[in-house]
Amino acid sequence: MPDPTPDPIPAPAPAAPTRIDPRGPRFGAAVTTVVLLAVLATGSGVLLAAQAAVFAAGAVGGLRFSPYGWVFRHLVRPRLGPPQELEDERPPRFAQAVGLGFAVIGAAGYLSGTGWLGIAASAAALVAAFLNAAFGYCLGCELYLFAVRTARPRAGRP
């Protein structure tokens, strides 16, 4: 008599991480730097909320859905040579989530009349964006890598 239970369906293999041109996040960081300078100069919680929406698009949908990523991909990258190498999208995407957190806190500060909170959160995000734009040093990416390293169980460790 044949076995009535169907063969188990194998679990799908994990998808390879999306690879991106590392110049894209640096371009986005440069635009973000300008936006955050404008936020600090004007104290505009609305402008910071708009930047938060940009961060949210990159964090939730991936960098290809970020408005700055779209501009880079369609207007800037065609004018550049091909990248020397590609990088994993996950660290910059995590950095977008960190930026989103700071932007939401800052916008809430500005819009609620707590200007010092808006200034502090905007300034922190500005430092991170500037470091990435000017020097290619992504603080959020480093946080991601640190979290991945510390979350992995090590052999011989409970």
Side-chain angles (χ1 to χ4, degrees), residues 62-84:
L63 299 180
R64 66 190 169 281
F65 293 107
S66 167
Y68 304 158
W70 187 92
V71 170
F72 176 78
R73 199 170 54 257
H74 293 285
L75 302 177
V76 177
R77 186 171 180 187
R79 290 166 174 73
L80 304 174
Q84 292 181 356

Side-chain angles (χ1 to χ4, degrees), residues 15-108:
T18 302
R19 310 289 290 171
I20 59 169
D21 183 337
R23 299 171 297 183
R26 284 189 77 177
F27 171 80
V31 176
T32 300
T33 296
V34 172
V35 170
L36 293 173
L37 284 169
V39 166
L40 287 168
T42 63
S44 174
V46 173
L47 182 56
L48 189 53
Q51 179 61 49
V54 171
F55 283 139
V60 174
L63 299 180
R64 66 190 169 281
F65 293 107
S66 167
Y68 304 158
W70 187 92
V71 170
F72 176 78
R73 199 170 54 257
H74 293 285
L75 302 177
V76 177
R77 186 171 180 187
R79 290 166 174 73
L80 304 174
Q84 292 181 356
E85 60 186 36
L86 298 176
E87 71 180 14
D88 185 350
E89 180 189 42
R90 292 175 294 186
R93 193 169 171 179
F94 179 82
Q96 293 287 297
V98 172
L100 173 61
F102 278 97
V104 166
I105 291 168

